[in-house]
Amino acid sequence: RVPCAAAGRSQAFQKKMATSLVGKNVWNSVARVYQAGVVQRLNQYGLKYDDILNESDPDVKLALSRMPVDLQVARDRRLKRALDISFKKKPLPMDFQKTLTPLEPYMESIVDEMKALRLERELLNGPR
């Protein structure tokens, strides 16, 4: 009887692992399709993913204020261009869209640094 119980647990474990692997594959497929859609929309407006981060988030707000001037100017120009494209309802030309890299982060490290700084302050002083 003991071997049968162990075999039953082994089958249950194998079934659980198979379900987990199938779930991961399905999830990864859905994620790739979603990411492609996001890239397409960002390219139409000439934006980068970091351009659409929520500016009311305190970490993002602080990161924006500490970002180098050249990155701030480039970001402002992309946002103004996107606003203009939105008003005109005419996306960027495809040959220009192919040169864009919307998922290339330029602000992620600064936001992570600000988040770490905020968490350190909260640990030392308590939440604000």
Side-chain angles (χ1 to χ4, degrees):
R1 285 194 161 184
V2 174
C4 288
R9 276 188 245 132
S10 176
Q11 285 177 341
F13 177 74
Q14 289 174 353
K15 188 175 182 179
K16 192 174 189 179
M17 288 301 295
T19 304
S20 174
L21 288 174
V22 170
K24 283 182 183 179
N25 288 338
V26 169
W27 184 254
N28 288 339
S29 297
V30 169
R32 275 193 299 275
V33 169
Y34 177 75
Q35 186 178 33
V38 169
V39 166
Q40 181 186 11
R41 294 291 290 182
L42 289 172
N43 279 343
Q44 286 177 350
Y45 293 99
L47 292 170
K48 291 186 176 269
Y49 186 76
D50 286 353
D51 293 336
I52 61 172
L53 292 177
N54 187 355
E55 292 182 24
S56 61
D57 179 0
D59 299 327
V60 173
K61 192 177 208 175
L62 190 57
L64 286 171
S65 69
R66 294 191 181 185
M67 196 167 46
V69 176
D70 59 332
L71 290 178
Q72 287 179 356
V73 169
R75 180 178 187 272
D76 289 341
R77 287 182 180 168
R78 282 191 302 272
L79 290 171
K80 287 177 184 177
R81 177 178 58 198
L83 186 63
D84 185 52
I85 288 169
S86 177
F87 282 137
K88 292 178 181 176
K89 299 195 184 302
K90 185 177 179 187
L92 285 173
M94 283 303 286
D95 58 332
F96 187 73
Q97 285 185 34
K98 290 178 183 176
T99 64
L100 299 176
T101 54
L103 297 180
E104 182 180 297
Y106 68 91
M107 207 167 78
E108 183 178 9
S109 62
I110 303 169
V111 172
D112 290 343
E113 186 179 329
M114 296 304 107
K115 192 174 293 187
L117 186 64
R118 178 181 52 81
L119 291 173
E120 183 180 350
R121 277 192 199 130
E122 286 179 0
L123 285 174
L124 292 173
N125 304 329
R128 287 186 187 193

